[in-house]
Amino acid sequence: MARNPVQFQRGMSLAMFLQRYGSEEQCHEALISMRWPSGFVCPACAGCSHSYCKPRRLFQCSACGHQASVKAGTIFHRAKVPLTKWFLAIYLLAQSKNDISAMELMRQLGVRYDTAWLMKQKIMAAMLEANAAQKLDGDVQVDDSYLGGVRSGKGGRGSPNKVPFVAAVETRRDRPRRAQLRRLASFKETEVAQWAVIGVRRSANVVTDGFLPFEIFAKKGYHHNVVLAGSGRPKERTFHWVNTLLGNLKMSMTGTFHAIRRQHAHRYLAAFEWRFNHRFDLAGAIDALAQTLLTAKPAPYQCITFAEASG
Ligand SMILES: [Zn+2]
């Protein structure tokens, strides 16, 4: 039987990972080359001339005297957790097929549960930010769905306890390429339109079922195909990849989490989306994620509302 090249790719072994990111110094050097690939640039005056104090890991600008660490102004800023643990958390969250719970992260990293939970949320927030720059194009299957309820099928749409989200898969030659799982405030046309304009290029060929809010695709000038059950076209085949994505998402979530609070749902969806879109290059995904964390806006504790934690 032919092996699926995505499932059987080597990725990055734990041994290889530890060889590259096993010490605090290695992680620090990795961040420096990610943040300043052409050498230090002073955040205050953009000067390049500098000295470096290795024991304190501080750069000092020769022009203005400003002192900067590679972590300043990033998610790692003031973090008490060593960079080796951050990189291990990145490795575990990027490489796992079905996500890992904060409890598992706590065990693997040897940190307190609250710390593991917050690190995980920050990494997922960075994934969310990275996803936002992606736009789907070409053939795109779109469907509406809900977390915390039965699959839209489509009874129970709009129940107050469910989290509505849109699932979209870009395909090429009948194979899935990239996907989006984006939380919406509701399935009002305006909400769907807001996502569509940001998430899908106008040149895309969008296919949906007859759910009325999806009419905005045609209104916004997209090439929009509506496929209805019983219209003579094979509906299962038309939506095969978006249905598969939703099936995998559901399995991943029920296998790993007891419950996901509404206010965190968008980050869990983002993590699943991020992993799906990096599945072709697991080894490169580690660096990509560390780079994203480095450039992501620091997400303070308050923004993530720890009091509502779960998962
Ligand atoms: Zn300076």
Side-chain angles (χ1 to χ4, degrees), residues 42 45 61 64:
C42 173
C45 74
C61 174
C64 74

Side-chain angles (χ1 to χ4, degrees), residues 74-127:
T74 75
I75 250 166
F76 309 108
H77 192 40
R78 297 205 181 98
K80 290 192 178 72
V81 176
L83 287 178
T84 44
K85 293 196 179 191
W86 272 105
F87 271 79
L88 187 55
I90 290 168
Y91 173 80
L92 294 169
L93 284 167
Q95 298 266 85
S96 71
K97 187 161 186 290
N98 288 322
D99 206 346
I100 62 169
S101 66
M103 190 66 81
E104 182 63 15
L105 201 60
M106 171 192 86
R107 292 192 196 106
Q108 299 276 356
L109 299 182
V111 295
R112 291 169 54 234
Y113 177 81
D114 295 5
T115 306
W117 187 90
L118 196 60
M119 286 171 82
K120 185 179 175 197
Q121 296 297 324
K122 285 184 174 188
I123 292 170
M124 292 197 301
M127 287 167 157

Side-chain angles (χ1 to χ4, degrees), residues 90-91 93-94 123 126-127 274 284-294:
I90 290 168
Y91 173 80
L93 284 167
I123 292 170
M127 287 167 157
W274 190 94
I286 307 289
D287 281 353
L289 188 50
Q291 177 85 50
T292 304
L293 272 161
L294 195 58

